[in-house]
């Protein structure tokens, strides 16, 4: 049981490039979320999903897209990377009782 | 949005009991209180969850007064390895849409000294 996995662990992008951060969970959780964490700050919710085919925006959705075609996978797409998107990105899946399990994170630098 | 307020930082020494209080004045009837721990370069880790009175597990205790407008996470006999950021969250665990209302805030940086 791997829990929540994220790839890549590190990524450097140039301004304007696009990329997809991968997230997968093997716990059969319906709920999944993406957060970003800037230095010295708490986590901010980007997008979330309450089940396959259902996604919604969180607190800071601009510049990001998500899709949920399967229960297991919840990729986050950066459309046109900007330096302001330099951050650590965490994916999480949640039980029905709201207990969230987080992945190890992806450190993204946009130059 | 049921935001929470916590102290920015706390210091303690090994072996002491640490109590971190969280204020959530706008907590709704169906909201539960959940605490997470985060070490540097790692994702947050679930510690404990409760609705009212007292909840205890192998790691911590959670005290919630009758009015539920605050809660206290109690860590018994802390060690150096308990140095981390602790987050208090409030949300309705019976509704998937609560995911859009969860607010982590900046948490409380607990530093445990030898």
């Amino acid at each position: 049981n791997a829990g929540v996995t994220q790839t890549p662990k590190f990524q450097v992008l140039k301004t304007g490039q696009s990329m997809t951060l991968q997230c997968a969970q093997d716990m059969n959780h319906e709920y999944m979320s993406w957060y970003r964490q800037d230095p010295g700050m708490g986590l901010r919710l980007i997008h979330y999903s309450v089940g396959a085919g259902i996604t919604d925006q969180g607190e800071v959705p601009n510049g990001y897209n998500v899709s949920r075609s399967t229960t297991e996978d919840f990729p986050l797409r950066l459309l046109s990377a900007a330096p302001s998107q330099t951050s650590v990105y965490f994916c999480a899946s949640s039980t029905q009782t709201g207990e969230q399990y987080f992945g190890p994170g992806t450190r993204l630098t946009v130059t | 949005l049921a935001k929470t307020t916590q102290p920015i930082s706390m210091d303690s020494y090994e072996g002491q009991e640490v109590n971190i209080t969280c204020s959530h004045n706008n907590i709704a009837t169906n909201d539960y209180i959940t605490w997470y721990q985060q070490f540097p370069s790692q994702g947050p880790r679930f510690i404990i969850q409760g609705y009212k009175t007292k909840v205890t597990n192998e790691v911590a205790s959670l005290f919630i007064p009758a009015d539920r407008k605050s809660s206290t996470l109690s860590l018994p006999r802390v060690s150096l390895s308990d140095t981390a950021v602790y987050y208090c969250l409030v949300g309705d665990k019976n509704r998937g849409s609560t995911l859009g209302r969860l607010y982590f805030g900046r948490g409380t940086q607990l530093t445990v000294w030898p």
Side-chain angles (χ1 to χ4, degrees):
Chain A
N1 196 338
V4 179
T5 58
Q6 292 183 237
T7 56
K9 285 188 168 54
F10 302 92
Q11 183 69 49
V12 179
L13 291 177
K14 293 188 188 312
T15 297
Q17 289 184 315
S18 64
M19 78 158 294
T20 299
L21 278 61
Q22 301 292 344
C23 175
Q25 54 97 3
D26 60 1
M27 296 173 282
N28 202 33
H29 291 162
E30 290 297 322
Y31 309 141
M32 296 187 73
S33 309
W34 274 103
Y35 295 86
R36 61 176 286 175
Q37 186 172 35
D38 300 320
M41 304 294 288
L43 284 78
R44 291 186 292 172
L45 184 67
I46 305 172
H47 284 286
Y48 65 99
S49 169
V50 299
I54 306 169
T55 63
D56 205 345
Q57 298 180 350
E59 183 185 358
V60 288
N62 292 340
Y64 308 95
N65 272 354
V66 292
S67 60
R68 185 93 182 273
S69 57
T70 67
T71 298
E72 294 78 20
D73 300 298
F74 191 42
L76 176 73
R77 183 163 179 81
L78 277 70
L79 308 172
S80 177
S84 61
Q85 293 179 304
T86 293
S87 189
V88 180
Y89 291 83
F90 291 103
C91 176
S93 72
S94 173
T95 67
Q96 292 282 357
T97 58
E99 180 177 336
Q100 293 195 62
Y101 293 83
F102 285 82
T106 294
R107 291 184 176 277
L108 176 68
T109 301
V110 182
T111 62
Chain B
L1 187 62
K3 290 192 177 181
T4 59
T5 303
Q6 307 173 231
I8 296 290
S9 64
M10 294 183 68
D11 291 290
S12 182
Y13 292 96
E14 283 191 292
Q16 290 189 333
E17 179 185 71
V18 170
N19 295 310
I20 306 174
T21 297
C22 178
S23 172
H24 27 79
N25 291 319
N26 297 325
I27 190 168
T29 302
N30 293 331
D31 283 343
Y32 282 70
I33 300 145
T34 310
W35 285 80
Y36 287 83
Q37 174 192 57
Q38 185 180 27
F39 297 113
S41 301
Q42 294 185 25
R45 182 175 73 99
F46 173 88
I47 302 176
I48 197 166
Q49 185 181 73
Y51 183 79
K52 63 179 179 180
T53 63
K54 177 183 175 182
V55 179
T56 298
N57 61 22
E58 65 277 7
V59 176
S61 294
L62 178 59
F63 297 93
I64 306 167
D67 67 5
R68 303 199 329 119
K69 293 184 183 299
S70 66
S71 59
T72 299
L73 175 72
S74 181
L75 304 172
R77 297 181 296 281
V78 294
S79 65
L80 297 177
S81 62
D82 292 314
T83 293
V85 178
Y86 293 82
Y87 297 96
C88 163
L89 279 74
V90 172
D92 185 345
K93 77 173 189 179
N94 295 317
R95 293 174 53 201
S97 60
T98 192
L99 286 175
R101 297 172 55 226
L102 289 178
Y103 175 74
F104 267 84
R106 297 183 65 173
T108 298
Q109 171 66 59
L110 172 66
T111 302
V112 180
W113 301 94

